[in-house]
Amino acid sequence: MKLALRGKGKLGFEDGSCTKSRYRGIIYASDARKAWNDFQQRFDHSNLTKIYYLWSEIAMTRHGTDPVTIYYTKMKDLWDELDVLAPISCCDCEKSRPSVEHLKSQRVLQFLMGLN
């Protein structure tokens, strides 16, 4: 159990080394933007964990007994969230086209792998 908690970065909650924060800095924030910036500075050190989670979800998502449209929507939601955290090149220049086409091919294959 400790290995699983350590792998998820949650062992500190079990052994008491992680103390509860009171968020004093945001109580008197004058607007939501200041509160958001405070949260971002405290907690947004790396999106790598979230990216890993999304890749895992994409790899494990299966068609199952759902209609194909539901399965596609689940995959599309995961891909969209991944695109926000790890954006691909948005320019339409000649150099970026191969990587964009490669990404599209990967997603087609991911979709097909999950089909029944």
Side-chain angles (χ1 to χ4, degrees):
M1 183 57 87
K2 285 187 177 185
L3 284 174
L5 289 171
R6 184 177 296 134
K8 301 258 185 203
K10 306 288 185 197
L11 186 61
F13 294 112
E14 190 273 331
D15 67 11
S17 64
C18 182
T19 59
K20 185 176 180 181
S21 176
R22 297 189 190 279
Y23 305 121
R24 289 188 182 116
I26 65 163
I27 291 174
Y28 300 108
S30 59
D31 60 30
R33 183 74 183 150
K34 287 183 181 180
W36 177 253
N37 287 338
D38 186 61
F39 276 127
Q40 192 171 21
Q41 286 176 351
R42 290 178 193 231
F43 301 112
D44 191 26
H45 299 292
S46 172
N47 286 328
L48 198 55
T49 304
K50 183 65 175 173
I51 292 169
Y52 172 80
Y53 167 78
L54 289 170
W55 273 106
S56 297
E57 285 295 308
I58 289 168
M60 292 185 300
T61 299
R62 296 289 179 258
H63 174 204
T65 59
D66 291 335
V68 174
T69 55
I70 299 294
Y71 166 62
Y72 176 76
T73 302
K74 288 178 187 177
M75 294 294 283
K76 179 90 169 80
D77 288 345
L78 292 168
W79 291 328
D80 289 347
E81 192 172 353
L82 186 62
D83 287 345
V84 169
L85 294 174
I88 59 169
S89 177
C90 61
C91 74
D92 194 25
C93 61
E94 193 66 35
K95 288 184 178 182
S96 68
R97 284 190 188 132
S99 60
V100 171
E101 290 303 315
H102 178 70
L103 179 66
K104 288 178 182 178
S105 297
Q106 279 183 326
R107 291 183 176 178
V108 168
L109 293 173
Q110 289 167 342
F111 179 78
L112 293 173
M113 288 171 57
L115 284 174
N116 290 340

Coordinates of all heavy atoms in Angstrom, one line a residue, residues 46-113:
S46 N 4.1 21.2 -12.2 CA 4.3 20.4 -13.4 C 3.0 19.7 -13.8 O 2.2 19.2 -13.0 CB 5.3 19.3 -13.1 OG 5.4 18.4 -14.2
N47 N 2.7 19.7 -15.1 CA 1.5 19.1 -15.6 C 1.9 17.6 -16.0 O 1.0 17.0 -16.6 CB 1.0 19.8 -16.8 CG 0.3 21.1 -16.4 OD1 -0.3 21.2 -15.3 ND2 0.4 22.1 -17.2
L48 N 3.1 17.2 -15.8 CA 3.5 15.9 -16.2 C 2.7 14.8 -15.6 O 2.3 13.8 -16.3 CB 5.0 15.7 -15.9 CG 5.7 14.6 -16.6 CD1 5.6 14.8 -18.1 CD2 7.2 14.5 -16.2
T49 N 2.3 14.9 -14.4 CA 1.4 13.9 -13.7 C 0.1 13.8 -14.4 O -0.4 12.7 -14.7 CB 1.2 14.3 -12.2 OG1 2.5 14.4 -11.6 CG2 0.4 13.2 -11.5
K50 N -0.5 15.0 -14.7 CA -1.8 15.0 -15.4 C -1.7 14.4 -16.8 O -2.5 13.7 -17.3 CB -2.4 16.4 -15.4 CG -3.7 16.5 -16.1 CD -4.8 15.8 -15.3 CE -6.1 16.0 -15.9 NZ -7.2 15.3 -15.3
I51 N -0.6 14.8 -17.5 CA -0.3 14.3 -18.9 C -0.2 12.7 -18.8 O -0.8 12.0 -19.6 CB 0.9 14.9 -19.5 CG1 0.6 16.4 -19.8 CG2 1.3 14.2 -20.8 CD1 1.8 17.2 -20.2
Y52 N 0.5 12.2 -17.8 CA 0.7 10.8 -17.6 C -0.7 10.1 -17.4 O -1.0 9.1 -18.0 CB 1.6 10.5 -16.5 CG 1.6 9.0 -16.1 CD1 2.4 8.1 -16.8 CD2 0.8 8.5 -15.1 CE1 2.4 6.8 -16.5 CE2 0.8 7.2 -14.7 CZ 1.6 6.3 -15.4 OH 1.6 5.0 -15.1
Y53 N -1.5 10.8 -16.6 CA -2.9 10.2 -16.3 C -3.7 10.2 -17.6 O -4.4 9.2 -17.9 CB -3.6 11.1 -15.3 CG -5.0 10.8 -15.2 CD1 -5.5 9.7 -14.5 CD2 -6.0 11.7 -15.8 CE1 -6.9 9.4 -14.4 CE2 -7.3 11.4 -15.7 CZ -7.8 10.3 -15.0 OH -9.1 10.0 -14.9
L54 N -3.6 11.3 -18.4 CA -4.4 11.3 -19.6 C -3.9 10.2 -20.6 O -4.8 9.6 -21.2 CB -4.3 12.7 -20.3 CG -5.1 13.8 -19.5 CD1 -4.7 15.1 -20.1 CD2 -6.6 13.5 -19.6
W55 N -2.6 10.1 -20.7 CA -2.1 9.0 -21.6 C -2.6 7.6 -21.2 O -2.9 6.8 -22.0 CB -0.6 9.1 -21.7 CG -0.1 10.0 -22.8 CD1 0.5 11.2 -22.6 CD2 -0.1 9.8 -24.2 NE1 0.8 11.8 -23.8 CE2 0.4 10.9 -24.8 CE3 -0.6 8.8 -25.0 CZ2 0.5 11.1 -26.2 CZ3 -0.5 8.9 -26.4 CH2 0.1 10.0 -26.9
S56 N -2.6 7.4 -19.9 CA -3.0 6.1 -19.3 C -4.5 5.9 -19.6 O -4.9 4.8 -20.0 CB -2.8 6.1 -17.8 OG -1.5 6.2 -17.5
E57 N -5.3 7.0 -19.4 CA -6.7 6.9 -19.7 C -7.0 6.6 -21.2 O -7.8 5.8 -21.6 CB -7.5 8.2 -19.3 CG -7.6 8.3 -17.8 CD -8.5 7.2 -17.3 OE1 -9.7 7.0 -17.8 OE2 -8.1 6.5 -16.3
I58 N -6.2 7.3 -22.1 CA -6.4 7.0 -23.5 C -6.0 5.6 -23.8 O -6.8 4.9 -24.6 CB -5.5 8.0 -24.3 CG1 -6.1 9.4 -24.2 CG2 -5.4 7.6 -25.8 CD1 -5.1 10.5 -24.7
A59 N -5.0 5.1 -23.3 CA -4.5 3.7 -23.5 C -5.5 2.7 -23.0 O -5.7 1.6 -23.6 CB -3.2 3.5 -22.9
M60 N -6.2 3.0 -21.9 CA -7.1 2.0 -21.3 C -8.6 2.2 -21.8 O -9.4 1.3 -21.5 CB -7.1 2.1 -19.8 CG -5.7 1.7 -19.2 SD -5.7 1.6 -17.4 CE -6.0 3.3 -17.0
T61 N -8.9 3.2 -22.4 CA -10.3 3.4 -22.8 C -10.7 2.5 -23.9 O -10.0 2.3 -24.9 CB -10.5 4.9 -23.3 OG1 -10.2 5.8 -22.2 CG2 -12.0 5.1 -23.8
R62 N -11.8 1.8 -23.7 CA -12.3 0.8 -24.7 C -13.7 1.0 -25.1 O -14.5 1.6 -24.4 CB -12.2 -0.6 -24.0 CG -10.8 -1.1 -23.7 CD -10.0 -1.4 -24.9 NE -8.7 -1.8 -24.6 CZ -7.6 -1.1 -24.8 NH1 -7.7 0.2 -25.2 NH2 -6.4 -1.5 -24.5
H63 N -14.0 0.6 -26.3 CA -15.3 0.7 -26.9 C -16.4 0.0 -26.0 O -17.4 0.6 -25.7 CB -15.3 0.1 -28.3 CG -16.6 0.1 -29.0 ND1 -16.8 -0.8 -30.0 CD2 -17.8 0.8 -28.8 CE1 -18.0 -0.7 -30.4 NE2 -18.6 0.3 -29.8
G64 N -16.1 -1.2 -25.6 CA -17.0 -2.0 -24.7 C -18.4 -2.1 -25.4 O -18.5 -2.4 -26.6
T65 N -19.4 -1.9 -24.6 CA -20.8 -2.1 -25.1 C -21.4 -0.7 -25.5 O -22.6 -0.7 -25.9 CB -21.7 -2.8 -24.1 OG1 -21.7 -2.0 -22.9 CG2 -21.2 -4.2 -23.8
D66 N -20.7 0.4 -25.3 CA -21.2 1.7 -25.6 C -21.3 1.8 -27.1 O -20.6 1.2 -27.9 CB -20.2 2.8 -25.1 CG -20.1 2.9 -23.6 OD1 -21.1 2.5 -23.0 OD2 -19.1 3.4 -23.1
P67 N -22.2 2.7 -27.6 CA -22.2 3.0 -29.0 C -20.9 3.7 -29.4 O -20.2 4.3 -28.6 CB -23.3 4.1 -29.1 CG -24.2 3.9 -27.9 CD -23.2 3.4 -26.8
V68 N -20.5 3.5 -30.7 CA -19.2 4.1 -31.2 C -19.1 5.6 -30.9 O -18.1 6.1 -30.6 CB -19.0 3.7 -32.7 CG1 -17.8 4.4 -33.2 CG2 -18.9 2.2 -32.8
T69 N -20.3 6.3 -31.0 CA -20.2 7.7 -30.8 C -19.9 8.1 -29.4 O -19.2 9.1 -29.2 CB -21.6 8.4 -31.2 OG1 -22.6 7.7 -30.5 CG2 -21.9 8.2 -32.7
I70 N -20.3 7.3 -28.5 CA -20.0 7.6 -27.0 C -18.5 7.3 -26.8 O -17.8 8.1 -26.2 CB -20.8 6.7 -26.1 CG1 -22.3 7.0 -26.3 CG2 -20.4 6.8 -24.7 CD1 -22.7 8.4 -25.8
Y71 N -18.0 6.2 -27.4 CA -16.6 5.8 -27.3 C -15.7 6.9 -27.9 O -14.8 7.4 -27.3 CB -16.3 4.5 -27.9 CG -14.9 4.2 -28.2 CD1 -14.0 4.0 -27.1 CD2 -14.4 4.0 -29.5 CE1 -12.7 3.8 -27.4 CE2 -13.1 3.7 -29.7 CZ -12.2 3.6 -28.7 OH -10.9 3.3 -28.9
Y72 N -16.1 7.4 -29.1 CA -15.3 8.5 -29.8 C -15.4 9.7 -28.9 O -14.3 10.4 -28.8 CB -15.9 8.7 -31.2 CG -15.2 9.9 -31.8 CD1 -13.9 9.7 -32.3 CD2 -15.7 11.2 -31.9 CE1 -13.2 10.8 -32.9 CE2 -15.1 12.2 -32.4 CZ -13.8 12.0 -33.0 OH -13.1 13.1 -33.5
T73 N -16.5 10.1 -28.4 CA -16.6 11.3 -27.5 C -15.7 11.2 -26.3 O -15.0 12.2 -26.0 CB -18.1 11.5 -27.1 OG1 -18.9 11.6 -28.3 CG2 -18.2 12.8 -26.3
K74 N -15.6 10.0 -25.7 CA -14.7 9.9 -24.5 C -13.3 10.1 -25.0 O -12.5 10.8 -24.3 CB -14.8 8.4 -24.0 CG -16.1 8.2 -23.2 CD -16.1 6.7 -22.7 CE -17.4 6.4 -22.1 NZ -17.5 4.9 -21.7
M75 N -12.9 9.5 -26.1 CA -11.5 9.6 -26.6 C -11.2 11.1 -27.0 O -10.2 11.7 -26.6 CB -11.3 8.8 -27.8 CG -11.3 7.3 -27.5 SD -10.0 6.7 -26.5 CE -8.6 6.7 -27.6
K76 N -12.2 11.7 -27.7 CA -12.0 13.1 -28.1 C -11.9 14.1 -26.9 O -11.0 15.0 -26.9 CB -13.2 13.6 -28.9 CG -13.2 15.0 -29.4 CD -12.5 15.1 -30.7 CE -12.7 16.5 -31.3 NZ -11.8 17.5 -30.8
D77 N -12.6 13.8 -25.8 CA -12.5 14.6 -24.6 C -11.1 14.5 -24.0 O -10.5 15.5 -23.6 CB -13.5 14.2 -23.6 CG -14.9 14.7 -23.9 OD1 -15.1 15.5 -24.9 OD2 -15.9 14.2 -23.3
L78 N -10.6 13.3 -24.0 CA -9.2 13.0 -23.4 C -8.2 13.7 -24.3 O -7.2 14.3 -23.8 CB -8.9 11.5 -23.3 CG -9.8 10.8 -22.2 CD1 -9.6 9.3 -22.4 CD2 -9.3 11.2 -20.8
W79 N -8.3 13.6 -25.6 CA -7.4 14.2 -26.6 C -7.4 15.7 -26.4 O -6.4 16.4 -26.4 CB -7.7 13.8 -28.0 CG -7.4 12.4 -28.3 CD1 -6.4 11.6 -27.8 CD2 -8.1 11.6 -29.3 NE1 -6.5 10.3 -28.4 CE2 -7.5 10.3 -29.3 CE3 -9.2 11.8 -30.1 CZ2 -7.9 9.3 -30.1 CZ3 -9.6 10.8 -31.0 CH2 -9.0 9.5 -30.9
D80 N -8.6 16.3 -26.3 CA -8.7 17.7 -26.2 C -8.1 18.2 -24.9 O -7.4 19.3 -24.9 CB -10.2 18.2 -26.2 CG -10.8 18.0 -27.5 OD1 -10.1 17.9 -28.5 OD2 -12.1 18.1 -27.6
E81 N -8.3 17.5 -23.8 CA -7.6 17.9 -22.5 C -6.1 17.8 -22.6 O -5.4 18.6 -22.1 CB -8.1 17.0 -21.4 CG -7.8 17.5 -20.0 CD -8.4 16.8 -18.9 OE1 -9.3 16.0 -19.1 OE2 -8.1 17.1 -17.7
L82 N -5.6 16.7 -23.3 CA -4.2 16.6 -23.5 C -3.6 17.7 -24.4 O -2.5 18.2 -24.1 CB -3.9 15.2 -24.2 CG -2.5 14.8 -24.4 CD1 -1.8 14.7 -23.0 CD2 -2.4 13.5 -25.1
D83 N -4.4 18.1 -25.4 CA -3.9 19.2 -26.2 C -3.8 20.6 -25.5 O -3.0 21.4 -25.8 CB -4.9 19.4 -27.4 CG -4.8 18.3 -28.4 OD1 -3.8 17.6 -28.4 OD2 -5.7 18.2 -29.3
V84 N -4.6 20.7 -24.4 CA -4.5 21.9 -23.6 C -3.2 21.9 -22.8 O -2.5 22.9 -22.7 CB -5.7 22.1 -22.7 CG1 -5.5 23.2 -21.7 CG2 -7.0 22.4 -23.5
L85 N -2.9 20.7 -22.2 CA -1.7 20.6 -21.4 C -0.4 20.5 -22.1 O 0.6 20.9 -21.7 CB -1.9 19.4 -20.4 CG -3.0 19.5 -19.4 CD1 -3.1 18.2 -18.7 CD2 -2.7 20.6 -18.4
A86 N -0.5 19.8 -23.3 CA 0.7 19.6 -24.1 C 0.3 20.0 -25.6 O 0.1 19.2 -26.4 CB 1.2 18.2 -24.0
P87 N 0.2 21.3 -25.8 CA -0.2 21.8 -27.2 C 0.8 21.4 -28.3 O 2.0 21.4 -28.1 CB -0.4 23.3 -27.0 CG 0.5 23.6 -25.9 CD 0.6 22.5 -25.0
I88 N 0.2 21.1 -29.4 CA 1.0 20.8 -30.6 C 1.2 22.2 -31.3 O 0.5 23.1 -31.0 CB 0.3 19.8 -31.5 CG1 -1.0 20.2 -32.0 CG2 0.3 18.4 -30.8 CD1 -1.7 19.4 -33.0
S89 N 2.0 22.2 -32.3 CA 2.3 23.4 -33.1 C 1.0 23.8 -33.8 O 0.3 23.0 -34.4 CB 3.3 23.1 -34.2 OG 3.5 24.2 -34.9
C90 N 0.6 25.1 -33.6 CA -0.6 25.6 -34.2 C -0.4 26.3 -35.5 O -1.3 26.8 -36.1 CB -1.3 26.5 -33.2 SG -0.4 27.9 -32.7
C91 N 0.9 26.5 -35.9 CA 1.1 27.1 -37.2 C 0.8 26.2 -38.4 O 0.9 25.0 -38.2 CB 2.5 27.7 -37.3 SG 3.8 26.5 -37.5
D92 N 0.6 26.7 -39.5 CA 0.3 25.9 -40.7 C 1.5 25.9 -41.6 O 1.4 25.8 -42.8 CB -0.9 26.4 -41.4 CG -1.5 25.4 -42.4 OD1 -1.2 24.2 -42.2 OD2 -2.1 25.9 -43.3
C93 N 2.7 26.0 -41.0 CA 3.9 26.0 -41.9 C 4.3 24.6 -42.3 O 3.8 23.6 -41.8 CB 5.0 26.7 -41.1 SG 5.5 25.8 -39.6
E94 N 5.1 24.5 -43.3 CA 5.5 23.3 -43.9 C 6.2 22.4 -42.9 O 6.1 21.2 -42.9 CB 6.4 23.6 -45.1 CG 6.7 22.4 -46.0 CD 5.4 21.9 -46.7 OE1 4.6 22.7 -47.1 OE2 5.3 20.7 -46.9
K95 N 7.0 23.0 -42.0 CA 7.8 22.2 -41.1 C 7.0 21.5 -40.0 O 7.3 20.4 -39.5 CB 8.9 23.0 -40.4 CG 10.0 23.4 -41.3 CD 11.0 24.2 -40.5 CE 12.2 24.6 -41.4 NZ 13.2 25.3 -40.7
S96 N 5.8 22.1 -39.7 CA 5.0 21.5 -38.6 C 4.0 20.4 -39.1 O 3.4 19.7 -38.4 CB 4.2 22.6 -37.8 OG 3.3 23.2 -38.7
R97 N 3.8 20.4 -40.4 CA 2.8 19.5 -41.0 C 3.1 18.0 -40.7 O 2.1 17.3 -40.4 CB 2.6 19.7 -42.5 CG 1.8 21.0 -42.8 CD 1.4 21.1 -44.2 NE 0.8 22.4 -44.4 CZ 1.1 23.2 -45.4 NH1 2.0 22.8 -46.3 NH2 0.5 24.4 -45.5
P98 N 4.3 17.5 -40.9 CA 4.6 16.1 -40.6 C 4.2 15.7 -39.1 O 3.7 14.6 -38.9 CB 6.1 15.9 -40.9 CG 6.4 17.0 -41.8 CD 5.5 18.2 -41.4
S99 N 4.5 16.6 -38.2 CA 4.2 16.2 -36.8 C 2.7 16.2 -36.5 O 2.2 15.4 -35.8 CB 5.0 17.1 -35.8 OG 4.6 18.5 -36.0
V100 N 2.0 17.2 -37.1 CA 0.6 17.2 -37.0 C -0.1 16.0 -37.6 O -1.0 15.3 -37.0 CB 0.0 18.5 -37.6 CG1 -1.5 18.4 -37.6 CG2 0.5 19.7 -36.8
E101 N 0.4 15.6 -38.8 CA -0.1 14.4 -39.5 C 0.2 13.1 -38.7 O -0.6 12.2 -38.6 CB 0.5 14.3 -40.9 CG -0.1 15.3 -41.8 CD -1.6 15.3 -41.9 OE1 -2.2 14.2 -42.1 OE2 -2.2 16.4 -41.9
H102 N 1.4 13.1 -38.1 CA 1.8 12.0 -37.2 C 0.9 11.8 -36.0 O 0.4 10.8 -35.7 CB 3.2 12.1 -36.8 CG 3.7 11.0 -35.9 ND1 3.9 9.7 -36.3 CD2 4.0 11.0 -34.6 CE1 4.3 9.0 -35.3 NE2 4.3 9.7 -34.2
L103 N 0.5 13.0 -35.4 CA -0.4 13.0 -34.3 C -1.8 12.5 -34.7 O -2.4 11.7 -34.0 CB -0.5 14.4 -33.7 CG -1.4 14.5 -32.5 CD1 -0.9 13.7 -31.3 CD2 -1.6 16.0 -32.1
K104 N -2.2 12.9 -35.8 CA -3.5 12.5 -36.3 C -3.5 11.0 -36.5 O -4.5 10.3 -36.2 CB -3.9 13.2 -37.6 CG -4.3 14.6 -37.4 CD -4.6 15.3 -38.7 CE -5.0 16.8 -38.6 NZ -5.2 17.4 -39.8
S105 N -2.4 10.5 -37.1 CA -2.3 9.0 -37.3 C -2.3 8.2 -36.0 O -2.9 7.2 -35.9 CB -1.0 8.7 -38.1 OG -1.1 9.3 -39.4
Q106 N -1.6 8.8 -35.0 CA -1.6 8.1 -33.7 C -3.0 8.0 -33.1 O -3.3 7.0 -32.6 CB -0.7 8.9 -32.8 CG 0.8 8.7 -32.9 CD 1.5 9.4 -31.9 OE1 1.2 10.6 -31.5 NE2 2.6 8.8 -31.4
R107 N -3.7 9.1 -33.3 CA -5.1 9.1 -32.7 C -6.0 8.2 -33.4 O -6.8 7.5 -32.8 CB -5.6 10.5 -32.7 CG -4.8 11.3 -31.6 CD -5.3 12.7 -31.4 NE -4.5 13.3 -30.4 CZ -4.6 14.6 -30.0 NH1 -5.5 15.3 -30.6 NH2 -3.9 15.0 -29.0
V108 N -5.9 8.0 -34.7 CA -6.7 7.0 -35.4 C -6.3 5.6 -34.9 O -7.2 4.8 -34.7 CB -6.4 7.2 -37.0 CG1 -7.0 6.0 -37.7 CG2 -7.0 8.4 -37.5
L109 N -5.0 5.4 -34.8 CA -4.6 4.1 -34.3 C -5.1 3.8 -32.8 O -5.6 2.7 -32.5 CB -3.1 3.9 -34.4 CG -2.5 3.8 -35.8 CD1 -1.0 3.9 -35.8 CD2 -3.1 2.6 -36.5
Q110 N -5.0 4.8 -32.0 CA -5.5 4.7 -30.6 C -7.0 4.4 -30.6 O -7.5 3.5 -29.9 CB -5.3 6.0 -29.8 CG -3.8 6.2 -29.5 CD -3.6 7.6 -29.0 OE1 -4.4 8.5 -29.2 NE2 -2.4 7.8 -28.4
F111 N -7.7 5.1 -31.5 CA -9.2 4.8 -31.6 C -9.5 3.4 -32.0 O -10.3 2.7 -31.4 CB -9.8 5.8 -32.5 CG -11.3 5.7 -32.7 CD1 -12.2 6.1 -31.8 CD2 -11.8 5.1 -33.9 CE1 -13.5 6.0 -31.9 CE2 -13.1 4.9 -34.1 CZ -14.0 5.3 -33.1
L112 N -8.8 3.0 -33.1 CA -9.0 1.6 -33.6 C -8.6 0.5 -32.6 O -9.3 -0.5 -32.5 CB -8.2 1.4 -34.9 CG -8.7 2.3 -36.1 CD1 -7.7 2.1 -37.3 CD2 -10.1 1.9 -36.5
M113 N -7.6 0.8 -31.8 CA -7.1 -0.2 -30.9 C -8.2 -0.5 -29.8 O -8.2 -1.6 -29.2 CB -5.8 0.2 -30.2 CG -4.6 0.1 -31.2 SD -3.1 0.8 -30.5 CE -2.9 -0.1 -29.0

